[in-house]
Amino acid sequence: PPAAQRAPPAAPRGALGSGPPRLRSSSVCRRQAVPVAMEKRSAPAEDEGSAEANGQLVDSCAGAASKRARKDGAAVEGAELENLIQERVRQALAARATVHPLLRETFTPNDPVHGLMHLPAIVKVVVDTLTFQRMRHIKQLGICALVYPGATHNRFFHSIGTAYLAHELVKGLRHRQPELGITDRDLTCATLAALCHDLGHPTYSHMFEVFVHGLGREKRAEAEARAKEKGLFRISEAEEAEVLRYETWTHEQASVFLLKELFEELRKPLEEVGLKVDAEGDDFACISELIDPPKKKLEALLDSKNLHSGWSGIIRGRPVEK
């Protein structure tokens, strides 16, 4: 074609205004950055997390460095990019060194879906208690395994997986929305609440709840029959309270009951990771309320448009501002 119609020669990749800068792959960056990062570490390897965790750290730093380079619009080549990644790794390791050992993600159970799940060490402290280990014997799917032999999941690993997903969710929120002011205490409370949400499940899980509620109906019918024989119009207050315990029983109530036992057993390590009661909230109440919130009271406040003003009257875990 005539010279006037020819396309101008393409600018070198990475030139200003010509597209994204030339960046080396994160795998190459990781291979070069890891040795330097490891040399800079002063703490033992087991205190900094697993090799997989460090690999994720370097990949994360590589991604952040690449994003920064694209934003600046400048070409970033080998040595320069490597130095940028190494600086990010040093900063991340320095921040990690200030974290309490029980908050470091050194508990890494292997999940068939998610692979290695990185969780803070305080999770393992809870998992190692007899109260939590009991859930190894509680079937997730009740009696379904009698029909589907492969349906053998248990509440034990289900709870660990729930803790992992909650941990990742809140970490993601904190990273993407720093204006929310999510603290380490908030993250720990959410993680532990997810971990312990099924502590109270009895044998056969939800099937047992059906049994208990049915037993409550039987007890009410018996109590009403006795009252009718005596010429009374209603059962006594003591009998009513006893029947309601069966009719309204939930595994969440049992979970909170066992959770209080755990709080007493693990008071020292929980306080070491920063859980406490102060102006920012009652962390122990927060975990309980996340597991078994007063739903009806909250819904009533929401319907009456008094949720903001009435929050502190029913929720102790966190103030309404949080």
Side-chain angles (χ1 to χ4, degrees), residues 89-99:
V89 171
R90 281 193 290 269
Q91 293 174 358
L93 288 175
R96 185 188 291 180
T98 63
V99 176

Side-chain angles (χ1 to χ4, degrees), residues 21 27-28 74 110 147 178 186 188 210 241 304:
S27 61
V28 175
N110 195 1
V147 179
D186 298 330
T188 302
V210 175
S304 63

Side-chain angles (χ1 to χ4, degrees), residues 22-37:
R22 297 176 62 186
L23 297 171
R24 307 174 71 185
S25 68
S26 62
S27 61
V28 175
C29 300
R30 175 173 169 176
R31 284 197 296 272
Q32 293 192 358
V34 167
V36 178

Side-chain angles (χ1 to χ4, degrees), residues 118-187:
H118 296 271
L119 287 162
I122 187 63
V123 170
K124 186 176 185 300
V125 173
V126 176
V127 168
D128 285 343
T129 62
L130 290 175
T131 301
F132 197 92
Q133 290 289 321
R134 162 189 168 275
M135 287 194 292
R136 286 183 182 271
H137 310 289
I138 306 298
K139 294 185 182 297
Q140 176 77 13
L141 301 175
I143 60 176
C144 287
L146 299 179
V147 179
Y148 303 98
T152 55
H153 198 42
N154 57 47
R155 292 284 166 182
F156 175 83
F157 206 53
H158 161 75
S159 297
I160 295 176
T162 306
Y164 169 71
L165 293 177
H167 189 67
E168 290 297 305
L169 170 66
V170 179
K171 280 202 309 180
L173 285 173
R174 179 164 66 174
H175 176 72
R176 291 189 296 271
Q177 294 181 263
E179 69 275 8
L180 294 179
I182 296 175
T183 64
D184 285 340
R185 288 171 59 186
D186 298 330
L187 177 59

